[in-house]
Amino acid sequence: MRKQKSLKKLLWPNLIKFMPSKVIIANWKMNLSVKKSLEFVRKIIKSQNELVIAAPFTFLCEMSKHLKKKKIKLAGQNVSQFSEGAYTGDVSAKMLKEEGCTYCLVGHSERRIYFKETDSEINGKIRQLLKYEIKPILCVGENYLQRKRKLTNSVLAKQLAKDLQGIKVSGEILIAYEPIWAISTFQENKNKKAASLEDIISAHQRIKKILQKLFKNTKKIKIIYGGTVTPLNSSQILNLKEVEGVLVGGASLKVPSLNAIIKAI
Ligand code: PEP
């Protein structure tokens, strides 16, 4: 019995090395405050997997000083499609890099819907991020009506083709499948539910096929899921082999629920 235990102790670190590591991205949107964000980070448990916080721009500088020990990475929530100049209110990829961002969200449905962001702008943003070696997290996904009309696959194909047009996959890119009807804050999600595991698997498989058509090599592209991921469903979702991570909105705003999601893998 003792021998078995010590063998397990010996093998475990090596087994962990071979387990595919997953990424958990907290999208705080326009919530919390700098002070609250620092208290929050102090209470977050350590993880073998990559934990990323997409925080408002004004938090980035302070947060980056406190994240190194915990190995938590920072993400911007948006970036300019331009490199510099007279673009009042915009923040460039170079500026995000300066503030310590490793990742940045692009094309979130809230930006596509409320700010009328176009695919060509999103394409420009991805180019800027790759230039500064920041990993883009490109959000794609259909709305409720498109899903009802069985247009999911064609919406995904169009978004991916346009948003990634002419892009050279020089660094890691993450594609977040975020069906709009499953995002907790949208009216479309009347039941406040995530997509079913079957829906997630089939969309992820479809995205993989589309990417294989667009690029010779897709090794650097990860496909993650977002839409009402909570402590109740995170384990099931994260343990799907097709899912390389999750993007979490509402449930990432409370320490206990984010910690529970981190523990789910
Ligand atoms: C999101 O808005 O990216 C998101 C996934 O939100 P929620 O987890 O609240 O559905």
Side-chain angles (χ1 to χ4, degrees):
M1 187 72 168
R2 241 170 110 190
K3 243 188 186 173
Q4 249 184 356
K5 262 194 177 168
S6 55
L7 194 67
K8 206 173 164 190
K9 243 185 170 177
L10 206 74
L11 290 177
W12 189 242
N14 291 316
L15 279 176
I16 280 181
K17 267 188 225 159
F18 292 110
M19 285 182 189
S21 103
K22 307 234 170 174
V23 56
I24 296 168
I25 302 166
N27 179 12
W28 282 355
K29 311 190 183 190
M30 203 171 70
N31 292 299
L32 304 177
S33 66
V34 176
K35 190 169 169 248
K36 279 188 188 153
S37 77
L38 301 183
E39 285 162 15
F40 194 108
V41 164
R42 236 177 280 131
K43 295 178 193 158
I44 289 294
I45 55 169
K46 275 195 184 162
S47 165
Q48 291 291 336
N49 296 282
E50 180 103 319
L51 177 64
V52 183
I53 299 182
F57 289 137
T58 54
F59 300 8
L60 298 175
C61 177
E62 267 313 297
M63 281 185 78
S64 66
K65 294 180 200 157
H66 293 82
L67 292 183
K68 281 182 193 121
K69 259 195 210 151
K70 293 230 167 173
K71 292 194 179 158
I72 299 172
K73 302 274 168 39
L74 266 184
Q77 293 181 8
N78 185 26
V79 68
S80 175
Q81 77 210 79
F82 305 108
S83 57
E84 63 179 345
Y87 301 104
T88 305
D90 254 6
V91 169
S92 71
K94 190 178 174 189
M95 292 167 183
L96 289 181
K97 188 80 185 178
E98 248 176 5
E99 296 302 337
C101 285
T102 313
Y103 294 83
C104 184
L105 295 172
V106 198
H108 190 280
S109 49
E110 286 154 14
R111 295 217 59 88
R112 292 182 193 255
I113 296 168
Y114 303 145
F115 301 96
K116 309 280 176 267
E117 234 170 54
T118 65
D119 290 304
S120 116
E121 284 162 357
I122 291 166
N123 181 278
K125 290 173 187 224
I126 296 173
R127 285 170 192 268
Q128 284 295 320
L129 292 172
L130 291 174
K131 190 169 156 196
Y132 288 93
E133 293 176 354
I134 297 174
K135 300 172 188 178
I137 306 159
L138 169 63
C139 303
V140 293
E142 79 286 6
N143 65 27
Y144 181 69
L145 210 65
Q146 290 164 332
R147 179 181 163 72
K148 256 187 104 181
R149 291 182 182 154
K150 304 209 180 316
L151 294 174
T152 301
N153 292 345
S154 67
V155 168
L156 293 174
K158 263 190 215 149
Q159 285 182 332
L160 289 167
K162 287 183 181 172
D163 298 346
L164 297 170
Q165 190 179 20
I167 299 276
K168 250 181 88 188
V169 191
S170 50
E172 198 173 283
I173 297 182
L174 282 77
I175 308 295
Y177 172 57
E178 292 218 302
I180 295 170
W181 49 271
I183 292 182
S184 67
T185 44
F186 275 120
Q187 286 293 322
E188 293 188 350
N189 192 352
K190 287 192 187 81
N191 313 317
K192 300 292 166 218
K193 262 198 199 152
S196 71
L197 297 183
E198 291 73 27
D199 288 335
I200 297 173
I201 294 170
S202 96
H204 279 230
Q205 286 172 341
R206 172 58 55 176
I207 289 172
K208 196 163 196 170
K209 276 197 188 131
I210 298 167
L211 293 172
Q212 281 164 346
K213 276 193 191 158
L214 293 175
F215 301 104
K216 268 192 204 141
N217 192 341
T218 56
K219 270 192 190 152
K220 288 184 185 161
I221 310 181
K222 281 189 172 165
I223 308 171
I224 66 172
Y225 170 77
T228 318
V229 173
T230 68
L232 293 177
N233 58 24
S234 52
S235 173
Q236 278 187 317
I237 295 173
L238 277 163
N239 284 311
L240 293 173
K241 71 172 182 348
E242 291 81 2
V243 173
E244 293 170 278
V246 285
L247 178 51
V248 190
S252 75
L253 288 168
K254 294 256 158 53
V255 174
S257 59
L258 185 58
N259 275 342
I261 293 170
I262 294 169
K263 278 190 207 155
I265 316 178

